[in-house]
Amino acid sequence: MAVKFFGQFLVEKGMVSREDLLAALDLQEQKNLKFGEMAMKMGYVTLADIQHAHRSQFSQDMKLGDLLLAAGLLSADQLQEIITRQKETHLYIGEALVQVGSLTGEQLQRHLIEFNLDQAPYVSERVELPAGIANGKTWEMTVDLTYKMITRVLGLPFRTEKCRIVGTIGTNFMMAALDLSGDVEARYILSVSAGVQKMVARAILREESVEHESAEILEDTVMEFINVVCGNVAAKASQTGEVIDINPPVTIRPEVEGLPVPAGHTALCFPIHVGEGEKMELLLLIRG
Amino acid sequence: MKTVLVVDDSLAMARLLEKIINDSGEFTCVGIARDGAEAIKMNHSEKPDIICMDMNMPGMDGLTALRSLVLLDKKVKVVMVTSLGGVGDKFKEALKLGARNVISKPFEADGVLRILREL
């Protein structure tokens, strides 16, 4: 029901053992060269070049290839050649499992079809963002996955509205927030009215009625929902090599006048209509 | 009946897991710990057959607790329950540290019980 990678799917379903997967992952580690290793193997750079690039650009958060390019130690064509070679020689986990003797080629093909069917609900669809937003693809995927989880986890019918950039985060009954870090830096916020909070609670607790539940439990269900969404965002991002770390979620109880957007941040607001008189918004507070 | 300790900072998620475990008729939940440190204490006092533990928790997180639990008892059966299961590196780290399996959130009761039965 979640975003998964193939190896995890196989172990969860009992199709391969934990031990076989670990052996296949080790084999992948040995065979799949990192960027610097491949660049050295192809004879484009030396270990000293890599160390020099790191030293000269230590204050910048850049990938090694970009560091070497910026330092003039690698040409753009060479950079592309190395990336292409990495892709061409990449040992995928399925093939690694065949090589360690855990699966036959035929079993691999069958399980890949099953895996693709399992993951089909999470194939990304286009979400329109305002022009000029950094890491746009990541945020499009984040919003798309939020919509998909509202359907799959909360079971709520809803209608979306076009995204807008806001100067103040409007108030609501409660907000659950989670900080994303790594290759991107942003705060993910889900703002809900009291009615929406109960809809979320009924779905997360799998209870018909939540009228007797404490405020803590009700708030907790919204936090857990965004934790699930953001964990799956991190999983989806990792499929394209992007690293996103998630922090434990927190609750925000905003003042009547709302929350100002901190300097140096852009706030994207995605209104989500789930019923008459109810308010639900996804907000992305993006740094930079 | 096999006993299970649930470890999750989210009360809502802990309650849901407790319900799935107790309704199964095959397992019984012997307690809920709210972070890794409490899990280590409760593992000592309750001696559960299985520990179902969240990964992303304030205080002592799940992977740190897993490392300590395995260090104290190599035979401990820990299943990580996490929304980060689909992140390959996290999954691999959990297995390498000694987790028996990883359950991704969101989950279905059937999937949770199938994994618990295999332990």
Side-chain angles (χ1 to χ4, degrees):
Chain A
M1 204 179 167
V3 175
K4 289 170 193 167
F5 75 98
F6 188 44
Q8 173 196 18
F9 171 80
L10 294 171
V11 173
E12 262 197 21
K13 297 276 183 197
M15 294 162 176
V16 303
S17 70
R18 168 184 175 274
E19 289 70 24
D20 282 355
L21 180 64
L22 280 173
L25 288 167
D26 281 344
L27 184 66
Q28 264 193 314
E29 245 173 50
Q30 289 165 27
K31 300 260 173 148
N32 292 335
L33 299 184
K34 295 196 173 90
F35 183 89
E37 293 167 338
M38 183 61 89
M40 284 197 290
K41 191 181 174 197
M42 290 171 76
Y44 290 150
V45 294
T46 62
L47 185 59
D49 289 338
I50 291 172
Q51 287 165 342
H52 173 74
H54 275 306
R55 268 197 309 275
S56 60
Q57 304 278 338
F58 65 92
S59 60
Q60 294 186 36
D61 185 17
M62 290 165 76
K63 287 181 177 165
L64 178 61
D66 296 328
L67 285 176
L68 289 163
L69 195 65
L73 295 165
L74 206 63
S75 71
D77 284 348
Q78 287 172 328
L79 175 74
Q80 201 47 54
E81 270 181 54
I82 296 164
I83 293 169
T84 305
R85 182 73 67 86
Q86 271 187 302
K87 282 184 184 160
E88 284 170 356
T89 57
H90 188 84
L91 175 66
Y92 289 94
I93 190 66
E95 186 52 37
L97 282 161
V98 173
Q99 288 190 20
V100 299
S102 177
L103 291 178
T104 64
E106 201 180 303
Q107 284 171 324
L108 171 62
Q109 292 312 316
R110 200 169 58 241
H111 294 331
L112 271 172
I113 292 168
E114 289 162 355
F115 174 65
N116 287 333
L117 283 173
D118 182 79
Q119 294 293 291
Y122 297 108
V123 172
S124 290
E125 287 166 36
R126 190 79 210 277
V127 173
E128 203 177 325
L129 296 187
I133 302 293
N135 302 110
K137 286 250 177 292
T138 305
W139 305 126
E140 280 182 25
M141 177 270 284
T142 303
V143 176
D144 175 55
L145 209 46
T146 303
Y147 294 158
K148 286 182 162 72
M149 290 288 184
I150 292 173
T151 302
R152 286 179 68 80
V153 178
L154 303 182
L156 293 179
F158 65 96
R159 184 169 55 79
T160 62
E161 204 178 295
K162 203 172 171 185
C163 165
R164 59 176 194 269
I165 296 177
V166 293
T168 305
I169 296 171
T171 193
N172 207 345
F173 181 69
M174 86 159 273
M175 296 179 187
L178 187 151
D179 290 330
L180 304 169
S181 54
D183 289 344
V184 294
E185 203 169 323
R187 175 163 265 211
Y188 177 102
I189 303 171
L190 193 69
S191 154
V192 296
S193 59
V196 176
Q197 189 192 50
K198 285 183 181 164
M199 293 177 200
V200 174
R202 279 196 289 271
I204 295 291
L205 296 170
R206 299 177 200 181
E207 299 278 3
E208 300 250 320
S209 168
V210 292
E211 294 307 320
H212 60 286
E213 297 293 351
S214 67
E216 187 193 1
I217 283 276
L218 294 176
E219 285 185 354
D220 202 54
T221 58
V222 184
M223 288 197 288
E224 187 54 34
F225 176 65
I226 71 163
N227 181 44
V228 167
V229 173
C230 292
N232 281 270
V233 165
K236 192 92 181 159
S238 73
Q239 292 172 357
T240 55
E242 193 175 25
V243 177
I244 296 183
D245 293 316
I246 67 169
N247 290 292
V250 294
T251 299
I252 303 172
R253 288 178 201 84
E255 303 290 334
V256 180
E257 61 272 21
L259 298 166
V261 174
H265 288 72
T266 304
L268 301 182
C269 175
F270 301 84
I272 301 164
H273 300 279
V274 288
E276 201 59 39
E278 300 296 347
K279 185 179 170 189
M280 183 183 203
E281 284 177 342
L282 162 63
L283 296 130
L284 294 174
L285 204 53
I286 303 165
R287 189 168 179 172
Chain B
M1 200 177 293
K2 282 190 176 174
T3 57
V4 183
L5 172 67
V6 171
V7 188
D8 204 313
D9 59 307
S10 161
L11 263 183
M13 195 44 62
R15 250 187 46 189
L16 176 61
L17 269 173
E18 183 185 30
K19 190 168 175 250
I20 290 172
I21 290 163
N22 288 340
D23 286 354
S24 70
E26 300 167 64
F27 304 96
T28 182
C29 176
V30 287
I32 293 172
R34 300 294 297 275
D35 69 11
E38 203 180 342
I40 293 167
K41 278 188 208 158
M42 289 184 74
N43 182 47
H44 184 70
S45 61
E46 305 299 326
K47 299 184 174 39
D49 297 308
I50 301 166
I51 301 174
C52 283
M53 183 157 64
D54 187 18
M55 212 181 259
N56 185 28
M57 294 182 286
M60 187 191 283
D61 67 64
L63 290 179
T64 308
L66 172 64
R67 197 177 286 121
S68 301
L69 285 163
V70 172
L71 206 65
L72 291 166
D73 176 9
K74 278 196 169 49
K75 289 182 181 167
V76 69
K77 290 179 180 170
V78 181
V79 176
M80 303 307 287
V81 185
T82 176
S83 63
L84 288 168
V87 180
D89 289 348
K90 294 277 181 192
F91 184 86
K92 185 175 161 185
E93 191 180 357
L95 290 196
K96 284 205 160 179
L97 286 173
R100 300 301 175 101
N101 213 327
V102 178
I103 297 169
S104 285
K105 292 179 186 175
F107 50 71
E108 301 285 1
D110 289 355
V112 173
L113 296 175
R114 192 186 59 241
I115 285 175
L116 295 186
R117 277 183 210 117
E118 282 169 3
L119 297 176

